Amino acid sequence: MSSTAVLGCMFGDEAKAKIVDVLANNSDFVVRFQGGSNAGHTIVSNGKKIVLHSVPSGILYDKTVCILGSGVVVDPFALNEEITQLEKQGINVSNRFFIDPRAHIVLPIHQELDSKSENDKRNRTKIGTTKKGIGPTYADKSARFGIRFSDLYNIDYLKERLTNLYFSHHLEISKEEIDKLVESLSEISKKFEPFKMQVPYFINEQYEKGADIIFEGAQGTLLDIDYGTFPFVTSSHTVSGSITIGCGISPKKIDRIVGVFKSYFSRVGEGPFPTELFDEIGNTIREQGHEFGSTTGRPRRCGWFDAIAAKYSAMINGVDEIALTLLDVLSGLKTIKICTAYIIDGKRTLEFPYDTNSLNNCVPEYIELPGWNEDITKIKKYDDLPKNAKNYIESIEELMDKKVSIVSVGPDRNQTIFRS
Ligand code: GDP
Ligand code: IMO
Ligand code: MG
């Protein structure tokens, strides 16, 4: 076994970065394959917190090489700033950070289009995006007007492509403005030149040699462009199938799939959320879990664990094992609920619906389990967890028919319980 996928299986922010960071201790490579700087990935090591947006979560280990595959969209300005901040903290990326030249570039125009559509009063379905330009960049990629990382190294071609891109959006841009944009891109692209890597050749060769590779997901299954709660989704595929497309490796080379699930559900932005809590318990979870977006600072909506949505995610991704995170946040609740069925228009179903209307109308059916009061943040062994916490974990295992192999009881690396 030499490759492991670590994937968010809810609406994002499942603590993927923490799990990647913990597993990357023994890894040679951490590869991102989709998304962009819409991601906010938090790592806490010895009380020190680092939030990553585009750089993979292996960067804290000197020997781990971090890679962005072709499926990622790269905002060169934001990435440059992120790298500068990392360097200021003594984290060096040279010779250990690479980007596939095929990766598409997020330009200022993409962010403008993203914000414009989100702020436009005529828009009846605001997504609540991160306004990082992700949707417009993937749209331009599909429409074949997008700019790739490799295009930054051919100035004449870049100018031609940029002119074309503005034309495709029916926008005027002067020659002077194009020159200015190209100049600012050129400055960064000089710095980024050593990052260029033919990721498919490299990663396949490393896999064959037996290297330890982690594929790091961003966002979560329920935000997938097809399998999520469309249109309240991100614009990339967030599921395991996306790994193969997003870095040029066969599905046969994904050996282990770890699904990251929070011990409850959270969502930032608009869209259906069947188990959302609007009461004091929801507020308590938000406060105890510090549930405020890592990228935008927005308060996250919180709700009970939804086993229907979770099973759907596990099925689509082919999850082998579960990393259950933020269990400590539930400490102190008298009882804890898990959704085990949906009632939609009077009919009971165990299937996650494909349409927003059904999801908005569904009434969750719950089981209720006893909570625990103990502080669990210092517990290192599974057996030392309170009886009711173990009962909660084992109920999730039973409902999902999957093993919980990792339990996270706090943000720090060392607040992690591995089960044999
Ligand atoms: P990601 O996008 O999936 O990597 O997750 P985020 O970093 O956006 O959000 C997860 C948040 O939970 C971060 O603030 C983490 O530091 C924090 N966190 C991770 N694991 C735990 C845990 O087990 N308990 C608590 N209380 N916080 C955690
Ligand atoms: P990580 O990797 C949580 C959400 C946004 C919005 C929708 C579309 O940290 O889990 P976008 O900017 O992608 O067009 O926004 O997706 N979203 C996330 N929610 N975690 C994320 O990333 C997210 N990235 C995007 O809030 O609802
Ligand atoms: Mg996040």
Side-chain angles (χ1 to χ4, degrees):
M1 297 274 274
S2 61
S3 83
T4 302
V6 178
L7 304 171
C9 291
M10 297 166 152
F11 292 109
D13 301 329
E14 301 87 349
K16 299 173 287 293
K18 173 187 166 161
I19 300 302
V20 169
D21 171 70
V22 167
L23 297 177
N25 183 22
N26 299 313
S27 290
D28 302 304
F29 304 100
V30 178
V31 190
R32 280 266 313 261
F33 53 91
Q34 47 73 228
S37 64
N38 48 349
H41 291 176
T42 317
I43 301 173
V44 182
S45 156
N46 293 322
K48 198 175 149 206
K49 176 172 156 176
I50 289 190
V51 182
L52 299 163
H53 297 286
S54 294
V55 175
S57 302
I59 204 73
L60 265 55
Y61 298 102
D62 291 343
K63 66 163 188 53
T64 306
V65 172
C66 291
I67 297 172
L68 304 183
S70 65
V72 174
V73 290
V74 180
D75 177 336
F77 302 102
L79 178 59
N80 192 34
E81 177 58 26
E82 189 172 335
I83 291 171
T84 306
Q85 289 307 322
L86 288 172
E87 284 168 347
K88 275 191 192 152
Q89 295 177 73
I91 300 160
N92 189 7
V93 304
S94 58
N95 294 321
R96 47 187 295 264
F97 177 67
F98 298 96
I99 308 172
D100 194 300
R102 299 167 183 85
H104 277 244
I105 295 294
V106 183
L107 293 164
I109 183 189
H110 294 125
Q111 292 197 2
E112 285 158 26
L113 290 167
D114 195 352
S115 295
K116 213 169 146 192
S117 118
E118 283 289 297
N119 296 337
D120 194 326
K121 287 197 179 70
R122 291 166 302 177
N123 180 356
R124 298 283 179 86
T125 43
K126 287 199 174 57
I127 311 297
T129 74
T130 59
K131 298 186 180 168
K132 298 290 178 189
I134 305 302
T137 306
Y138 278 114
D140 274 348
K141 174 177 173 173
S142 293
R144 292 158 294 177
F145 285 112
I147 309 290
R148 308 209 294 180
F149 180 40
S150 58
D151 300 341
L152 303 186
Y153 298 92
N154 183 341
I155 299 295
D156 289 339
Y157 183 64
L158 177 61
K159 286 183 182 173
E160 191 184 307
R161 293 290 299 165
L162 283 170
T163 312
N164 232 24
L165 186 138
Y166 275 81
F167 151 79
S168 77
H169 288 286
H170 310 286
L171 291 169
E172 296 287 331
I173 186 160
S174 67
K175 190 181 163 303
E176 289 70 33
E177 283 170 306
I178 292 271
D179 288 347
K180 211 169 142 204
L181 179 58
V182 167
E183 199 180 312
S184 60
L185 284 168
S186 300
E187 239 172 76
I188 294 180
S189 58
K190 268 185 219 125
K191 182 172 171 184
F192 283 12
E193 175 103 54
F195 298 163
K196 269 199 263 173
M197 175 198 265
Q198 274 268 30
V199 173
Y201 285 104
F202 182 82
I203 209 70
N204 278 284
E205 192 183 318
Q206 292 300 326
Y207 179 88
E208 296 300 342
K209 282 184 184 165
D212 202 301
I213 304 165
I214 294 181
F215 299 108
E216 176 183 15
Q219 291 80 50
T221 303
L222 304 176
L223 292 175
D224 181 276
I225 184 84
D226 274 348
Y227 298 102
T229 54
F230 189 89
F232 304 98
V233 292
T234 191
S235 296
S236 66
H237 286 290
T238 57
V239 297
S240 57
S242 182
I243 297 170
T244 174
I245 296 159
C247 56
I249 195 162
S250 157
K252 290 187 222 160
K253 292 179 179 161
I254 307 166
D255 299 312
R256 172 189 177 204
I257 300 182
V258 178
V260 187
F261 293 84
K262 258 182 198 175
S263 302
Y264 49 92
F265 265 53
S266 74
R267 170 163 210 167
V268 62
E270 304 304 319
F273 182 173
T275 61
E276 184 168 9
L277 285 161
F278 299 96
D279 57 6
E280 257 326 291
I281 300 177
N283 289 337
T284 305
I285 294 176
R286 180 162 38 254
E287 293 304 322
Q288 289 190 181
H290 305 289
E291 290 292 358
F292 298 88
S294 319
T295 299
T296 58
R298 290 176 292 176
R300 295 181 185 142
R301 302 153 62 192
C302 297
W304 296 122
F305 190 93
D306 180 343
I308 297 300
K311 271 189 94 157
Y312 166 79
S313 284
M315 171 183 76
I316 288 173
N317 289 303
V319 163
D320 294 309
E321 55 193 277
I322 294 171
L324 193 69
T325 59
L326 292 104
L327 185 69
D328 54 297
V329 174
L330 299 182
S331 298
L333 295 182
K334 208 160 172 270
T335 58
I336 304 169
K337 289 184 183 178
I338 302 177
C339 166
T340 52
Y342 293 156
I343 313 289
I344 304 171
D345 296 332
K347 287 199 195 95
R348 189 172 184 272
T349 178
L350 302 181
E351 277 188 14
F352 190 74
Y354 47 79
D355 66 312
T356 307
N357 262 351
S358 301
L359 278 163
N360 280 335
N361 290 331
C362 90
V363 180
E365 195 176 277
Y366 290 108
I367 54 166
E368 193 159 3
L369 303 170
W372 61 91
N373 272 321
E374 296 88 333
D375 173 7
I376 60 169
T377 57
K378 293 182 185 64
I379 291 179
K380 304 280 178 222
K381 283 196 266 168
Y382 184 78
D383 287 342
D384 295 341
L385 284 169
K387 185 172 111 282
N388 288 349
K390 282 189 280 195
N391 179 44
Y392 182 65
I393 296 167
E394 286 156 29
S395 300
I396 287 175
E397 284 185 320
E398 202 174 309
L399 284 164
M400 294 191 59
D401 196 20
K402 299 268 175 255
K403 187 92 191 151
V404 173
S405 60
I406 302 172
V407 182
S408 176
V409 292
D412 208 281
R413 267 180 193 170
N414 61 25
Q415 293 173 298
T416 315
I417 300 170
F418 290 92
R419 287 171 81 195
S420 50

